[in-house]
Amino acid sequence: MWQGFLQIAITLIILVAITPSFSSYIASVFLEKKTFLDPVAKPIERVIYALGGIPTKSDMTGWQYAQAILYSNIVMGIFVYLIFMLQGILPLNPTNLQAPSWDLALHTTISFVTNTNQQHYSGETTFSYASQMLALGFLMFTSAATGLSVGIAFIRGLTGRPLGNFYVDLVRSITRILLPISIIGAIALLMAGVPETLAAPATVTTLEGTTQVIARGPVAHFEIIKQLGENGGGFFGINSAHPFENPNAFTNLVEILAMVSIPAALIITYGIFANNKKQGWLLFWMVFIIFVTLVVVTGVGEYQGNPLVNNLIGDSPNLEGKEVRFGWAETALWAVLTTGTMCGAVNGMHDSLMPNGGFSTLFNMFVQMIWGGQGTGTAYLFVYLILTVFLTGLMVGRTPEFLGRKIEKREIVLASVILLVHPIAILIPSAITLAFPDTLAGISNPGFHGISQVVYEYTSAAANNGSGFEGLGDATLWWNLSACFSLLAGRYLPIVALLLLADSMMRKQPVPETAGTLRTDTLLFTGVTAGVILILGVLTFFPVLALGPIAEGFRLASGT
């Protein structure tokens, strides 16, 4: 047991060690300070700005920034959908795969445009190399850069700066952060055994004398942006549990650090923007403590195993749905991390997690800020901060202020919209689906676990996560179309509200700090913020958790 937790601890120590320098670099990129990549990136960016007619010194309002996101995402979505529907006549299709059904293509397009990458298909048997590289790979960069741009624009607005220009932020996110790290990461993965080839699947003769076809492809470059960009969609059906995506302990470590590095660093980047690193680190450690608690809860559950199985074979960790090269500890860490960062990649099957793991993964996606998605998750963290400032202001009878700006009706309305969209996008379609369990749900496990399967799928879509309890039969017209509602609502409504909130904060006149001003860079306030996050999460989603993983846990403990 302790060896497993030691592996987890070493990984987290490396994360803490790299966060300060990476956060400083991200801040320098978006504060337009000098960086070591300037000689390479600036000429490329100038060409892109010239070809796109992008005015680099023109700032946008919140609504203009949101419009730019919506328009660009619609164009990208149409482009990718056409590639899917025409893949049968396009090159780089060595297995002659034909176009998927229109509803699967639509769901996949929306899923990848929204940085969710929820997959109702197996990549190696559904999409050609062209579709995987030119369509999905393209969206992995642009959707991740979109989320990162929103997060930076939100931080700018909170700290009194203009929101910036979306197209400039999008380009800089790719040229200065996502692409350079992806090149280095892809080379590292390639050296560690991840394939990168355009050759057709290999046909081999097994030891038993039978013929086997082994799928392969341009995996290494796809895998690193999948992790770094919080995308999560696998080249193969079983994602990072596949030995060609994640062959050994080294690649597992690289992919974990890629998955969490940007969300963790953005919290400290906020502190740099606000000229208050203390608050950034307090928030970092608050998130870190909640995260570690969930990892321990999940890890203990996996180590103890299933009591019903243990009665038959003796005490044993839960190894169902896990790769033995990673074991229970690294699978538990990955499961909590992938749902905390909204990445959605998996190195084991979440449907096989013990109820502890089901609780942790669902809870992460319910609150969306441990560590949060690519940029937007950081913004969710500060929405909770604003609500905490408002609540504490009510307690002491003072107009709430955050970073020297008053929190008033407009800000609270927008913050409420951001948080209320999430349960609407989850609970309403879940209720409809569960009302027709035989015709719509596709549940493979009856009872409490079946409820978790359905709720998890819509939660994953609304949180732009993409992982799933994959025993669920989700490759149907109902699931493809109903999940699209959660995907779109969970992505774009909060983004628009976040940008309008940031724009509103930016336009406020700062008020001078007085002796009665509530400081937000204290342990007390950080603790209150953690309490608000946990209470709001419990109040909103506790009935679902009680009917799903909590009830399942009690049932297992009772021996039934």
Side-chain angles (χ1 to χ4, degrees):
M1 177 178 182
W2 295 114
Q3 182 181 6
F5 281 115
L6 178 61
Q7 295 172 353
I8 293 172
I10 292 172
T11 304
L12 297 181
I13 289 170
I14 296 173
L15 169 64
V16 173
I18 66 176
T19 294
S21 56
F22 192 30
S23 60
S24 297
Y25 173 74
I26 294 176
S28 297
V29 167
F30 291 105
L31 288 172
E32 299 188 25
K33 295 181 179 179
K34 186 176 181 180
T35 68
F36 67 94
L37 281 179
D38 284 356
V40 177
K42 280 189 174 180
I44 298 173
E45 291 166 357
R46 280 197 290 266
V47 171
I48 295 173
Y49 297 149
L51 292 176
I54 300 171
T56 58
K57 299 301 181 182
S58 175
D59 292 318
M60 293 179 171
T61 65
W63 180 238
Q64 289 172 334
Y65 206 103
Q67 284 181 307
I69 291 173
L70 295 174
Y71 294 154
S72 63
N73 280 209
I74 289 172
V75 172
M76 289 187 286
I78 294 172
F79 168 71
V80 167
Y81 186 80
L82 290 175
I83 290 179
F84 289 160
M85 300 311 293
L86 297 174
Q87 81 169 4
I89 61 174
L90 293 176
L92 297 176
N93 188 4
T95 52
N96 297 314
L97 293 170
Q98 297 304 304
S101 65
W102 70 269
D103 56 295
L104 178 60
L106 178 65
H107 173 268
T108 305
T109 300
I110 293 174
S111 182
F112 277 75
V113 166
T114 58
N115 196 231
T116 308
N117 297 26
Q118 190 177 55
Q119 294 175 287
H120 290 171
Y121 63 91
S122 292
E124 66 270 39
T125 59
T126 305
F127 288 119
S128 66
Y129 293 169
S131 294
Q132 297 258 43
M133 289 194 304
L134 302 180
L136 302 183
F138 162 70
L139 289 180
M140 282 183 169
F141 277 96
T142 56
S143 65
T146 297
L148 182 55
S149 300
V150 171
I152 291 297
F154 189 77
I155 290 173
R156 287 191 186 119
L158 285 186
T159 55
R161 295 176 172 83
L163 302 192
N165 184 297
F166 167 69
Y167 299 109
V168 173
D169 291 338
L170 182 78
V171 171
R172 292 175 72 87
S173 296
I174 295 174
T175 59
R176 306 296 185 104
I177 299 173
L178 298 176
L179 186 58
I181 298 176
S182 293
I183 291 173
I184 297 170
I187 293 172
L189 293 179
L190 184 62
M191 294 173 63
V194 178
E196 180 76 19
T197 179
L198 294 177
T203 302
V204 299
T205 301
T206 67
L207 294 175
E208 291 82 7
T210 59
T211 299
Q212 181 178 354
V213 178
I214 301 176
R216 54 184 175 177
V219 183
H221 84 279
F222 192 93
E223 184 70 15
I224 188 62
I225 188 58
K226 179 191 89 174
Q227 300 298 119
L228 181 67
E230 307 301 314
N231 292 288
F235 194 93
F236 300 101
I238 59 172
N239 210 276
S240 291
H242 196 291
F244 284 177
E245 287 198 31
N246 190 10
N248 51 55
F250 173 75
T251 58
N252 197 65
L253 176 62
V254 169
E255 292 174 24
I256 283 176
L257 293 176
M259 178 165 40
V260 72
S261 57
I262 293 178
L266 278 176
I267 300 175
I268 312 302
T269 298
Y270 154 77
I272 297 172
F273 268 78
N275 295 316
N276 191 343
K277 281 190 176 182
K278 178 184 176 183
Q279 185 177 35
W281 278 108
L282 283 171
L283 293 172
F284 177 93
W285 289 117
M286 178 195 75
V287 173
F288 187 89
I289 290 170
I290 298 174
F291 167 72
V292 169
T293 301
L294 293 173
V295 171
V296 171
V297 167
T298 303
V300 168
E302 298 307 305
Y303 178 77
Q304 291 177 340
N306 188 323
L308 301 182
V309 174
N310 291 346
N311 291 336
L312 300 175
I313 64 173
D315 290 344
S316 171
N318 173 33
L319 296 180
E320 179 190 322
K322 295 178 177 59
E323 286 297 306
V324 293
R325 63 185 185 276
F326 304 133
W328 64 269
E330 290 298 311
T331 305
L333 173 62
W334 186 297
V336 178
L337 197 55
T338 195
T339 50
T341 60
M342 301 307 140
C343 176
V346 298
N347 72 347
M349 296 299 101
H350 287 194
D351 202 26
S352 296
L353 292 172
M354 298 301 296
N356 307 43
F359 175 91
S360 297
T361 52
L362 278 169
F363 181 83
N364 274 337
M365 293 187 289
F366 288 155
V367 298
Q368 298 193 86
M369 42 62 61
I370 310 166
W371 298 85
Q374 186 82 308
T376 53
T378 308
Y380 270 98
L381 173 60
F382 294 108
V383 169
Y384 283 111
L385 268 179
I386 289 172
L387 286 176
T388 305
V389 169
F390 176 72
L391 292 173
T392 51
L394 290 179
M395 292 180 196
V396 298
R398 222 185 122 79
T399 301
E401 300 167 8
F402 184 63
L403 297 179
R405 290 167 173 80
K406 292 184 177 181
I407 306 297
E408 298 174 302
K409 178 182 176 181
R410 176 179 172 82
E411 290 73 48
I412 296 303
V413 168
L414 289 169
S416 300
V417 167
I418 292 165
L419 296 182
L420 287 173
V421 165
H422 195 51
I424 290 171
I426 295 169
L427 300 179
I428 291 178
S430 294
I432 295 172
T433 302
L434 289 169
F436 302 94
D438 297 327
T439 55
L440 298 182
I443 295 171
S444 61
N445 291 280
F448 302 123
H449 192 82
I451 294 174
S452 295
Q453 284 183 318
V454 170
V455 173
Y456 192 107
E457 190 75 3
Y458 287 117
T459 304
S460 174
N464 301 137
N465 180 267
S467 63
F469 274 16
E470 290 307 334
L472 187 74
D474 53 23
T476 64
L477 178 66
W478 166 256
W479 276 111
N480 286 335
L481 297 184
S482 64
C484 285
F485 163 75
S486 298
L487 290 166
L488 293 169
R491 176 70 164 182
Y492 294 112
L493 293 179
I495 279 181
V496 172
L498 285 168
L499 292 168
L500 295 178
L501 175 57
D503 187 71
S504 179
M505 292 292 289
M506 180 267 294
R507 296 178 185 278
K508 289 180 178 291
Q509 291 296 322
V511 295
E513 185 176 313
T514 66
T517 299
L518 174 67
R519 295 194 61 85
T520 57
D521 57 354
T522 65
L523 279 172
L524 175 61
F525 182 80
T526 306
V528 173
T529 302
V532 169
I533 292 169
L534 296 174
I535 290 171
L536 284 177
V538 168
L539 288 179
T540 306
F541 293 105
F542 183 77
V544 173
L545 292 170
L547 289 172
I550 294 176
E552 185 182 2
F554 277 113
R555 185 173 184 180
L556 275 178
S558 68
T560 59

